[in-house]
Amino acid sequence: MHMADALLSPAVGGTMWAATAVTVAYCSRRLRHEADDRRVPLMGVLGAFLFAAQMINFSIPGTGSSGHLGGGLLLAILLGPHAAFLVMASVLIVQALFFADGGLLALGCNIFNLGFFPAFIGYPLYQRLAGEAPGTARAGVAAVIGAVLSLQLGAFAVVLQTVASGISALPLGTFLAFMLPIHLAIGIVEGVVTAAVISFVRAARPGVLPTAVRSGHAVHGMASAFLVVALVLGGVGAWFASKNPDGLEWSVARVTGARELESPQTGIEAALGRLQQRTAILPGYGFRHETARAAEKNEAPNGITNSWGSDRLGKSLAGVVGGSITLALALLVGFALKLRSRWR
Amino acid sequence: MSAPAVITGLLDFRRLDLLATGDSALHRLDARAKVLVTLVFIVCTMSFHRYAVASLIPFFVFPLAVVTAARLPIAFLLRKVALVLPVALVIGLPNPWFDREVLVQLGGLQISGGWISLLSIVLRSLLAAAAAIALVAVTGFPAICGALERMGMPRSLAVQLLFLYRYLAVLGEEAVRMTVAREQRGGGRPLSIRHYGTLVGRLLLRTWDRAERIYLAMCARGFTGDFRSGPPSRLGRPDIAYVAGWCGLFLLLRTHDVTQWLGTAALGVLR
């Protein structure tokens, strides 16, 4: 589920870098406050452990195929969300550099999609559902639900980032219909595997797993999780409701066979476009001038030029909108978590 | 992954890691200069519109120049870079399906936008992967971490990355041993999830004990929370020239369609 550089526009990639940087800064500040020297080597070796565990494949029953562990939820259960997020970030950085998995521009997306959701949404849900001293079955159900939620949100974020970037021609609906069911299956397997590892560890050496779960912790964790889900849904709703031709509608127009998409020359959309063209750092597009000329003559140029022009406009607009939503989300969650730590 | 595949992955990791111990003018540059140039390269190449193909091609000069100047093994690095192709193809292949507007007409051959954007995605993937792998090969992971920390990455993440890097091969080898042992005794039976839980749980407990031993060893040696390295390097004239030269070229290639210009010039000469 790695996001790839090739599918990403710098606007979306940069925004996700910013969101990830904020979360990294927040997590490392939290860890500095709860100084625990023992955790430094533990986090490091657990990162290496995750690599090793991902190398070992298991067979998925009934399909004949094999899979490997994602590990975000497992790390959060072992280390708590803040440390788990940093470990996940480090694993993804090494993967991006040594194995060219994803890439450097997509690093922000990948750390957010695979690190943030399990640590700050899947894990609080798991904690809430599993309770203090869960039996094997209960912990298993909780792990499956936590992993499914994390992976669904992660897959959803991959789709949003791809569509907002506008490099892939996959329309939102098709891409979602493809990604969400697959990641439902992957999430169930991930949850079952996480539960299998946890139940072994609990039986073999109970001391390893953190036991003291304060109920207040879980309640506020849940509150912030629901907040995030609500905001994501709200953001998507707004996206669908939007009348502006963004990257999404552009793709839809493509699919439905509309040959041309009128690029509005008046109103806020055009103003934003002009502002964006004026402030573009790299105004290197030949057809930018053609679009401007067409606007002067108040007639559409040939179909290709027009769709390219609106593509570019829609791409940046969609990127800014989608990116800002996710950034706002990250900040909000950080803020909520901060408030929570103050209340304690 | 079967045992041979795991071993190959681990050996590739080591080999790539060892390349950074080479000695060339590029190896000796400040890591920050190399990280910065790579980031500018990626932003410039990835900011092209979705149908960019010809204008992406001149950018291959950067990874090629780095690999040649640093005397790195090209065949090995190409193999590493080619590993990203399957992913790029899987996500790019729907493009020709959804985007059928004809954009290019070469004689009787009509090429739709989808095929062009698929080609663009493949080129982008190759450029991004080549840049990242070339960066590791001439800089080395610890130096990249140091550079990132000096560029603002929190210390805790830098320490985390260095720890992970140091123990990656150690735990990777444990995973290899476990996989080999299981495959030899299991008679080719696939690993069920329940047994995976036991296997990986055991590996987790061993990791946990290892962390405890590392912690005690670190205490004995007076670990204060960060890794010691030599005195921080300073940006010299070669570093500034490296950054200015490459970034200037990238901006030129990004803002001027050099490919088009060359093509027109060549056609003009032919005519």
Side-chain angles (χ1 to χ4, degrees):
Chain A
M1 199 181 64
H2 280 57
M3 185 72 195
D5 271 8
L7 296 177
L8 207 56
S9 72
V12 180
T15 325
M16 296 313 295
W17 260 74
T20 296
V22 169
T23 321
V24 164
Y26 166 72
C27 288
S28 51
R29 178 167 304 165
R30 274 296 294 259
L31 289 185
R32 214 169 40 235
H33 283 315
E34 339 168 338
D36 177 4
D37 283 348
R38 239 168 245 272
R39 188 161 49 198
V40 175
L42 182 59
M43 279 169 61
V45 215
L46 279 181
F49 157 79
L50 190 56
F51 255 104
Q54 286 182 346
M55 286 175 174
I56 305 174
N57 281 16
F58 49 81
S59 67
I60 299 169
T63 58
S65 60
S66 65
H68 69 77
L69 184 72
L73 185 62
L74 180 64
L75 285 177
I77 294 172
L78 292 169
L79 288 168
H82 304 96
F85 180 80
L86 287 185
V87 173
M88 212 56 201
S90 69
V91 168
L92 290 162
I93 291 173
V94 170
Q95 283 179 347
L97 283 171
F98 279 96
F99 304 95
D101 263 353
L104 297 178
L105 184 63
L107 199 49
C109 295
N110 284 326
I111 296 178
F112 200 86
N113 301 347
L114 297 170
F116 181 87
F117 293 122
F120 291 105
I121 294 176
Y123 172 65
L125 187 63
Y126 164 84
Q127 225 185 3
R128 174 80 176 152
L129 295 175
E132 290 215 9
T136 311
R138 187 170 171 192
V141 170
V144 168
I145 294 176
V148 164
L149 181 64
S150 319
L151 276 151
Q152 288 289 301
L153 286 173
F156 191 55
V158 166
V159 173
L160 282 191
Q161 288 151 5
T162 307
V163 171
S165 295
I167 309 285
S168 163
L170 266 175
L172 182 85
T174 317
F175 202 5
L176 279 180
F178 174 72
M179 286 286 274
L180 294 187
I182 285 186
H183 283 87
L184 180 66
I186 295 179
I188 292 171
V189 172
E190 171 85 12
V192 171
V193 170
T194 304
V197 175
I198 291 292
S199 92
F200 171 80
V201 169
R202 187 172 314 215
R205 205 181 310 167
V208 163
L209 293 171
T211 42
V213 179
R214 263 171 291 178
S215 53
H217 187 96
V219 169
H220 290 299
M222 274 304 282
S224 50
F226 275 126
L227 183 67
V228 169
V229 173
L231 278 169
V232 167
L233 293 177
V236 174
W239 209 321
F240 276 116
S242 162
K243 288 281 179 286
N244 293 336
D246 52 19
L248 162 69
E249 285 190 22
W250 184 81
S251 327
V252 172
R254 273 275 154 114
V255 173
T256 52
R259 295 283 294 180
E260 277 183 35
L261 198 72
E262 287 285 324
S263 182
Q265 307 300 345
T266 52
I268 192 160
E269 161 84 329
L272 271 179
R274 279 196 295 275
L275 180 72
Q276 197 263 332
Q277 284 180 351
R278 215 169 291 147
T279 52
I281 308 167
L282 304 162
Y285 288 92
F287 39 81
R288 179 190 131 209
H289 307 297
E290 286 174 53
T291 317
R293 228 182 297 132
E296 278 162 26
K297 284 191 250 162
N298 202 16
E299 62 176 22
N302 66 62
I304 294 164
T305 313
N306 194 4
S307 59
W308 276 10
S310 61
D311 174 22
R312 170 160 159 67
L313 189 65
K315 196 158 72 181
S316 342
L317 200 69
V320 170
V321 171
S324 318
I325 292 174
T326 15
L327 178 60
L329 276 179
L331 289 173
L332 260 172
V333 171
F335 187 63
L337 289 169
K338 182 141 201 151
L339 275 181
R340 192 193 78 200
S341 72
R342 203 171 291 163
W343 281 336
R344 255 192 224 161
Chain B
M1 241 186 273
S2 63
V6 175
I7 295 170
T8 314
L10 212 55
L11 287 178
D12 273 4
F13 168 77
R14 285 235 186 98
R15 184 160 178 208
L16 183 56
D17 191 30
L18 282 175
L19 290 180
T21 57
D23 187 36
S24 72
L26 280 176
H27 281 92
R28 284 190 293 272
L29 287 175
D30 189 292
R32 282 173 294 173
K34 289 180 270 187
V35 170
L36 190 64
V37 165
T38 307
L39 292 181
V40 173
F41 173 82
I42 286 178
V43 169
C44 281
T45 48
M46 301 304 141
S47 63
F48 277 103
H49 59 87
R50 65 155 63 159
Y51 299 116
V53 170
S55 27
L56 283 174
I57 293 171
F59 282 93
F60 279 101
V61 76
F62 170 62
L64 285 176
V66 168
V67 168
T68 338
R71 296 188 295 272
L72 299 170
I74 291 186
F76 167 68
L77 294 177
L78 278 181
R79 188 161 59 80
K80 293 284 292 178
V81 169
L83 288 179
V84 302
L85 280 179
V87 181
L89 285 175
V90 163
I91 313 214
L93 269 179
N95 277 14
W97 181 263
F98 286 110
D99 182 358
R100 293 179 169 188
E101 192 174 324
V102 174
L103 284 190
V104 176
Q105 190 124 24
L106 286 174
L109 185 67
Q110 293 187 329
I111 304 174
S112 74
W115 287 105
I116 296 177
S117 57
L118 169 63
L119 186 56
S120 182
I121 287 179
V122 167
L123 289 180
R124 280 163 209 265
S125 307
L126 292 176
L127 283 171
I133 285 178
L135 174 68
V136 180
V138 293
T139 315
F141 191 72
I144 295 176
C145 286
L148 289 175
E149 193 186 343
R150 290 173 81 186
M151 289 160 90
M153 188 171 73
R155 155 132 328 161
S156 53
L157 185 55
V159 171
Q160 164 66 23
L161 281 167
L162 289 171
F163 252 115
L164 168 58
Y165 166 74
R166 282 173 191 216
Y167 285 95
L168 200 55
V170 178
L171 285 167
E173 274 169 16
E174 289 211 10
V176 169
R177 281 199 294 275
M178 285 178 141
T179 313
V180 170
R182 197 199 69 81
E183 281 182 9
Q184 283 178 344
R185 288 165 211 177
R189 247 172 303 158
L191 178 60
S192 71
I193 289 183
R194 197 164 61 84
H195 292 142
Y196 176 89
T198 313
L199 196 73
V200 168
R202 187 60 73 188
L203 181 63
L204 177 65
L205 291 182
R206 279 193 209 166
T207 309
W208 208 273
D209 294 338
R210 187 184 293 278
E212 193 65 19
R213 288 199 302 278
I214 298 167
Y215 172 68
L216 293 175
M218 282 173 11
C219 286
R221 288 168 206 175
F223 181 75
T224 53
D226 59 314
F227 288 94
R228 286 166 204 279
S229 48
S233 69
R234 286 165 52 187
L235 286 174
R237 216 169 284 158
D239 303 312
I240 292 166
Y242 184 77
V243 173
W246 279 119
C247 293
L249 179 67
F250 299 155
L251 287 181
L252 178 78
L253 290 176
R254 180 64 188 80
T255 50
H256 295 81
D257 198 342
V258 176
T259 320
Q260 189 76 38
W261 181 79
L262 277 176
T264 321
L267 285 177
V269 168
L270 282 179
R271 214 170 282 153

